[in-house]
Amino acid sequence: MARIAGVDLPKNKAVAYSLPYLYGVGRKLALVICERAKIDPAKKTLELNEAEIRRIRELLETEIKVEGDLRREVQMNIKRLMDLGCYRGLRHRRGLPVNGQRTHTNARTRKGPRKGVLARAKKA
């Protein structure tokens, strides 16, 4: 089983389809990694030998930011926006959509479950 950057890659998938399990690696970058590490993208992860896994690891460690380092960088960028107090930072702080989406309806994923209006007590 190939374990790269703290993530177990699926055994029975092609390398080009198993590398995107790493945070920060998409399909296109997975193909580039395979090309630069001189690995056939159609080869199953289970069929990789230690030398090929080592080449992938070295490539990811030296040239491409993935997993923990990338997550940390993204969080630091968001924190910087929040500390600046800019519009995007305020939207992050309030838990609202950041990129200009409408919020009158929709945006439930970002805003969370609905908060119902409390019924007013009837006057006697």
Side-chain angles (χ1 to χ4, degrees), residues 87 91 96-108 110-111:
Y87 181 77
R91 302 299 282 184
L96 294 169
V98 177
N99 295 323
Q101 297 92 335
R102 73 181 278 130
T103 57
H104 179 69
T105 59
N106 303 335
R108 294 290 13 141
R110 192 74 177 137
K111 290 168 69 174

Side-chain angles (χ1 to χ4, degrees), residues 23 65-80:
Y23 182 81
K65 211 176 264 193
V66 293
E67 283 299 322
D69 294 337
L70 184 59
R71 289 181 200 270
R72 194 173 309 110
E73 183 179 326
V74 169
Q75 286 303 314
M76 290 302 294
N77 289 340
I78 292 171
K79 186 177 181 331
R80 178 181 54 83

Side-chain angles (χ1 to χ4, degrees), residues 10-96:
K11 295 181 241 178
N12 296 323
K13 287 193 177 191
V15 177
Y17 289 97
S18 61
L19 282 176
Y21 278 70
L22 297 169
Y23 182 81
V25 178
R27 287 281 317 284
K28 182 79 172 175
L29 185 57
L31 292 172
V32 170
I33 291 169
C34 289
E35 180 184 318
R36 290 175 66 186
K38 296 176 180 66
I39 297 170
D40 178 25
K43 191 174 191 179
K44 301 279 187 193
T45 308
L46 189 62
E47 299 167 0
L48 292 175
N49 59 35
E50 287 301 317
E52 292 169 330
I53 293 173
R54 191 174 340 102
R55 286 200 305 259
I56 293 173
R57 272 197 198 112
E58 288 171 1
L59 188 66
L60 290 175
E61 287 173 2
T62 57
E63 300 176 27
I64 301 167
K65 211 176 264 193
V66 293
E67 283 299 322
D69 294 337
L70 184 59
R71 289 181 200 270
R72 194 173 309 110
E73 183 179 326
V74 169
Q75 286 303 314
M76 290 302 294
N77 289 340
I78 292 171
K79 186 177 181 331
R80 178 181 54 83
L81 290 171
M82 288 167 57
D83 291 343
L84 284 173
C86 65
Y87 181 77
R88 282 174 56 202
L90 294 175
R91 302 299 282 184
H92 274 292
R93 192 178 305 153
R94 293 179 184 155
L96 294 169

